[in-house]
Amino acid sequence: GGDFGALLDWWPSGISGCLVDDVVRPTQRVLSRADGSTVTERLVHHRPEDRMFVLEVVEGFPIAVHNYTCRYEVRELADGTCRLDWQPRATVEAGHSSTFDDLVDAGWDQIAAGLRAHV
């Protein structure tokens, strides 16, 4: 059903560590970036039988980006292949939409590269 701590298994670069705290509810993970900074994410919804989860970033994103959530769902297609539906959302302060766009672009590049390497 999916391991919230397995990010390093398929995220190809930029993240040097992942520490999961599954004692707190909801489960959180702290990602250590290669530059020494961290991002704390909370698992807010998880349906392992549907290969779907939603996370929210608790801290570690640029100050102009608030309420960041991201939904991941792997869907099997009729031809036997799979598709990842990835839906990042946030509230972004006026004048900072490029900050969010840059986060999403970099995130997708990392996800795509990691998945290509593991498929």
Side-chain angles (χ1 to χ4, degrees):
D3 178 357
F4 197 51
L7 183 73
L8 295 177
D9 292 348
W10 59 272
W11 194 275
S13 65
I15 303 295
S16 60
C18 178
L19 179 62
V20 174
D21 184 348
D22 56 5
V23 174
V24 299
R25 290 291 178 245
T27 300
Q28 291 189 159
R29 68 182 176 193
V30 178
L31 305 175
S32 302
R33 293 180 178 133
D35 67 6
S37 63
T38 61
V39 174
T40 302
E41 299 176 330
R42 182 178 297 140
L43 182 63
V44 294
H45 193 66
H46 186 210
R47 289 195 327 253
E49 67 279 3
D50 295 328
R51 299 188 290 181
M52 188 281 296
F53 72 92
V54 178
L55 64 80
E56 71 177 326
V57 172
V58 178
E59 61 184 36
F61 266 17
I63 198 159
V65 178
H66 309 279
N67 307 314
Y68 179 93
T69 62
C70 195
R71 182 178 189 276
Y72 297 78
E73 184 171 2
V74 176
R75 297 178 187 259
E76 190 168 339
L77 303 177
D79 65 1
T81 62
C82 292
R83 177 183 80 204
L84 172 65
D85 289 340
W86 183 63
Q87 300 169 341
R89 296 181 181 187
T91 304
V92 181
E93 293 178 12
H96 293 274
S97 62
S98 65
T99 301
F100 179 68
D101 294 345
D102 291 346
L103 284 170
V104 170
D105 290 347
W108 181 250
D109 288 347
Q110 291 293 319
I111 290 169
L115 292 177
R116 273 193 301 275
H118 289 87
V119 174

